[in-house]
Amino acid sequence: MSNTDELIIGLVSISDRASGGVYEDLGIPALESWLSAAIRTPFRLEKRLIPDERSQIEHTLIDMADLNRCHLILTTGGTGPARRDVTPDATLSVGSKEMPGFGEQMRQISLQFVPTAILSRQVAVIRETPEHACLIMNLPGQPKAIKETLEGLKDSDGKQLVNGIFAAVPYCIDLIGGPYMETDTAICKAFRPKSALRPAQPLPEENT
């Protein structure tokens, strides 16, 4: 696959009640807002709102990775210990490689705020086919926690205290053959080794 392809990001909110119309989904709007501010590279979104059904989660992730050709899929919701929380199980079942560092860092960030962060089962995987690869990551369900997990923790002067997980995402996408992704360093500074850096591109007018 050429790394000049359009960057495609999938957003999947997993909730019985939100998908059933009991209340408004907040996960996808929170993700869309953060990504639009943080990513300088033009990208296209694929969005899904589905219930906590393992088979439906698996099918959705497979379709978005293999058919919609997403390079990155972010899920929100369904990562706790409750009986209906099956997002991590579905994610692991469709992955080719587990990326445990993402889940470890997510819990470290959340533990700065709540001791119940250790109950989170968030995981990340890479799904590979002969033609395409996609990074899939489970995120928390609350908008505040989504932002903290992606962006990390900063002091009042903006100095980074704890790195968010998204700092490692662009280079991971590079390594699996996806498009080169640039970020707004004021929000999230992407880390790459010097050998992998490219000259910065002009800031696009807007993302879709």
Side-chain angles (χ1 to χ4, degrees):
M1 182 186 68
S2 170
N3 59 8
T4 61
D5 289 348
E6 177 186 28
L7 175 62
I8 306 173
I9 301 175
L11 306 180
V12 185
S13 186
I14 299 158
S15 168
D16 285 333
R17 288 180 289 178
S19 64
V22 176
Y23 58 68
E24 182 181 1
D25 173 60
L26 300 178
I28 287 177
L31 284 168
E32 187 171 0
S33 175
W34 191 89
L35 292 170
S36 295
I39 299 177
R40 297 179 70 246
T41 305
F43 63 91
R44 175 164 58 86
L45 291 175
E46 293 284 341
K47 296 179 280 190
R48 305 287 188 275
L49 175 58
I50 60 175
D52 292 279
E53 296 289 348
R54 178 167 172 169
S55 61
Q56 189 167 351
I57 299 169
E58 291 173 357
H59 291 150
T60 298
L61 296 177
I62 291 171
D63 284 350
M64 294 181 83
D66 299 358
L67 300 181
N68 297 117
R69 312 287 284 183
C70 290
H71 303 99
L72 171 67
I73 298 174
L74 302 175
T75 75
T76 173
T79 60
R83 289 178 182 266
R84 295 287 292 173
D85 290 337
V86 293
T87 301
D89 312 276
T91 302
L92 289 170
S93 72
V94 304
S96 309
K97 299 174 182 174
E98 187 175 0
M99 302 293 288
F102 284 110
E104 293 164 4
Q105 185 66 5
M106 282 189 255
R107 283 179 281 277
Q108 284 298 315
I109 294 168
S110 296
L111 278 168
Q112 306 293 319
F113 299 96
V114 291
T116 51
I118 59 175
L119 302 180
S120 170
R121 300 191 301 121
Q122 294 154 338
V123 300
V125 302
I126 292 171
R127 176 173 173 80
E128 294 176 319
T129 67
E131 299 82 22
H132 187 69
C134 175
L135 172 63
I136 305 172
M137 301 194 300
N138 303 152
L139 296 177
Q142 297 301 316
K144 180 176 181 290
I146 289 172
K147 181 178 185 293
E148 292 163 350
T149 298
L150 293 170
E151 194 170 320
L153 308 178
K154 300 175 183 177
D155 64 16
S156 58
D157 297 323
K159 180 182 177 182
Q160 197 80 36
L161 300 176
V162 180
N163 286 321
I165 62 166
F166 206 83
V169 169
Y171 186 49
C172 183
I173 300 299
D174 293 349
L175 293 174
I176 62 175
Y180 191 86
M181 186 194 313
E182 293 183 295
T183 62
D184 183 338
T185 57
I187 297 174
C188 176
K189 184 177 181 180
F191 177 81
R192 286 180 171 94
K194 290 182 179 179
S195 61
L197 292 173
R198 298 183 189 175
Q201 298 298 309
L203 184 67
E205 292 184 4
E206 66 178 71
N207 282 316
T208 56

